[in-house]
Amino acid sequence: MSVTAGDAVTAGAGGAWANDLDAASVLDIDPVLDNPRTRIVVCCGSGGVGKTTTAAALGVRAAERGRKVVVLTIDPARRLAQSMGIDELDNVPRPVTGIDTSAGGELHAMMLDMKRTFDEIVETHADKERARAILENPFYQSLSAGFAGTQEYMAMEKLGQLRARDEWDLIVVDTPPSRSALDFLDAPSRLGSFLDGKFIKVLMTPAKLGGRAGMKFLGVGMSMMSGPLNKLMGAQLLRDVQTFVSAMDTMFGGFRTRADATYRLLQAPGTAFLVVAAPERDALREAAYFVERLAAERMPLAGLVLNRVHGSGAARLSAERALAAAQALADGSGVPRTPDSSENLDGVGIVDRDSGQTGSRTADDPGTRTPSDTSSPRSGSPQPAPSGDPAPSAPSTDSTARLTAGLLRLHAERMQVLARERRTRDRFTSLHPEVPVAEVAALPGDVHDLAGLRAIGERLAVQSARHDSARHDSAPAKPTADGKGAESP
């Protein structure tokens, strides 16, 4: 990914908030990724905050630091696969080429296929004949493709499978893009409650009794229920459900057992949750709710990743002073000199620095040729002065003033955005001072290659160094060419 001027300016401002955070409140991601006891990193949060890209960036960084990593994503966007140099992601971990393997690490990536994962469970835990009956059952096909909570449950199921294989020493999980951040934690119990529900148990009873007793129970029970249920569900659907329940009888307990085991795995010290958010009120409100839920469920929280943070390379120039300077230029009255004036604002006009015409240019001294100056700047030969007409005004001076005023107004808008984001973040940190925060600068565009993912990982990893620099240096941060921010692919 090429670095543009916009990237550099934004990167220089990426740490603009670092001096507002206590050292204890700054999240360093490298100790989390480097710790061999960390086996699972779960990125969670609301949709559209750069969660998938953050998970991929963490995977790239961990692999290039020597870990054997697999990234499990639920986001179906193809841009993430393309950024990893893979034509297409599916339910099988695919190796990612192009990363630095000198430290001995490797990276695989996969995208959850909800139905295929459900099929694998059936094929693993049922004999061949019963598995075929289940897979061909219309009710099962509907359940596996779109039952509420199935995607979240299958993400948990796939996580358990990957952990049991023990082929990777770090699994990075991008949780489903749910409306509610709690769906990922609630889905296993919700699906388990459905499978353990009274209606399912009634339908399972004939299969448990077996033989003539089961058929007799089925005949008596269904004669009582067939009328209402046929009207409610339809006769064919009811038969499909009965066939499905009969075939799945031996598997229902396994769903609950595996869900409970994966849930305990998420509570173990080897798991680290990262809540991902943007500096927006709704995203941080949901992040705060998730932090509280994780604490209630005793899930290990590593910290908050705050994406798309805006900043400015001229943060010492406030929005109010920038607007005042722009207004003064528009009024033609110049800009009053103050100790903190912008570097190219002089008390009497606009001053060029380092290049161009030096000195001060004002309305009385436009810096252009007057009628008495009749030589051509190109040829040096005298030119006749215009007669009768006054000397034309200097359009370059006017346009420079207008351009400067416009830039000052843009800067004021940026500073207002920065102040609003800071207030929003401070509300979160005041409610949860124990949660360390890593801030990542906003990007002008999407991440579309490994270089972009790598740069995001670098931004996540330099939080403490940036905090120390900002704390000891009050000057605006200098632009850097490697600053990036996480954007939803």
Side-chain angles (χ1 to χ4, degrees), residues 13 37 130 177 185 202 221 242 251 402 424 430 454 468 477 482:
R37 291 191 294 270
R130 179 169 292 192
L185 297 178
V202 168
Q242 292 170 339
M251 297 180 58
R402 286 195 298 270
T424 305
S430 65
R454 187 177 293 113
D468 293 340
D482 61 350

Side-chain angles (χ1 to χ4, degrees), residues 70-153:
V70 59
V71 178
L72 170 62
T73 181
I74 289 84
D75 192 334
R78 290 188 176 184
R79 284 174 294 180
L80 181 61
Q82 293 170 352
S83 69
M84 291 186 165
I86 300 175
D87 294 334
E88 187 174 355
L89 291 176
D90 54 20
N91 212 45
V92 178
R94 305 291 181 184
V96 178
T97 59
I99 67 167
D100 183 1
T101 59
S102 59
E106 58 185 57
L107 177 62
H108 290 74
M110 62 181 298
M111 184 177 68
L112 178 72
D113 185 329
M114 179 177 63
K115 188 178 187 311
R116 182 57 199 152
T117 301
F118 213 147
D119 292 348
E120 290 174 353
I121 297 172
V122 172
E123 292 168 351
T124 301
H125 298 281
D127 58 67
K128 188 174 182 181
E129 183 177 349
R130 179 169 292 192
R132 183 176 58 82
I134 295 172
L135 296 177
E136 294 177 356
N137 183 271
F139 179 75
Y140 166 79
Q141 293 174 358
S142 298
L143 175 69
S144 61
F147 184 77
T150 304
Q151 184 184 45
E152 289 80 3
Y153 177 85

Side-chain angles (χ1 to χ4, degrees), residues 317-336 341-342 344-346 349-350 398-413 416:
L317 179 61
S318 68
E320 293 77 10
R321 291 177 52 246
L323 288 174
Q327 186 61 44
L329 284 172
D331 293 342
S333 60
V335 181
S341 292
S342 180
N344 66 332
L345 294 179
D346 187 61
I350 306 299
D398 292 342
S399 62
T400 299
R402 286 195 298 270
L403 176 61
T404 304
L407 291 174
L408 286 168
R409 292 190 182 95
L410 287 175
H411 173 76
E413 292 177 5
Q416 290 168 349

Side-chain angles (χ1 to χ4, degrees), residues 130-207:
R130 179 169 292 192
R132 183 176 58 82
I134 295 172
L135 296 177
E136 294 177 356
N137 183 271
F139 179 75
Y140 166 79
Q141 293 174 358
S142 298
L143 175 69
S144 61
F147 184 77
T150 304
Q151 184 184 45
E152 289 80 3
Y153 177 85
M154 289 305 145
M156 297 277 277
E157 192 68 54
K158 181 57 69 174
L159 172 60
Q161 292 177 7
L162 293 173
R163 184 67 180 86
R165 290 169 61 177
D166 206 28
E167 293 183 25
W168 300 275
D169 55 29
L170 181 63
I171 303 169
V172 181
V173 182
D174 163 40
T175 56
S178 308
R179 284 187 177 182
S180 171
L182 304 180
D183 285 351
F184 180 67
L185 297 178
D186 288 339
S189 61
R190 204 163 52 234
L191 186 60
S193 297
F194 166 75
L195 296 176
D196 290 342
K198 293 181 179 179
F199 177 66
I200 295 294
K201 287 181 178 178
V202 168
L203 296 179
M204 287 173 59
T205 302

Side-chain angles (χ1 to χ4, degrees), residues 14-69:
W17 292 0
N19 55 346
D20 293 329
L21 290 172
D22 295 334
S25 301
V26 177
L27 170 64
D28 264 353
I29 203 63
D30 278 349
V32 177
L33 300 179
D34 294 344
N35 188 348
R37 291 191 294 270
T38 302
R39 303 297 302 272
I40 299 173
V41 173
V42 182
C43 296
C44 52
S46 58
V49 295
K51 185 172 50 178
T52 300
T53 302
T54 299
L58 292 173
V60 171
R61 184 161 186 84
E64 293 188 335
R65 295 176 68 85
R67 303 295 298 271
K68 294 183 178 180
V69 187

Side-chain angles (χ1 to χ4, degrees), residues 121 291 337:
I121 297 172
V291 166
R337 177 187 290 275

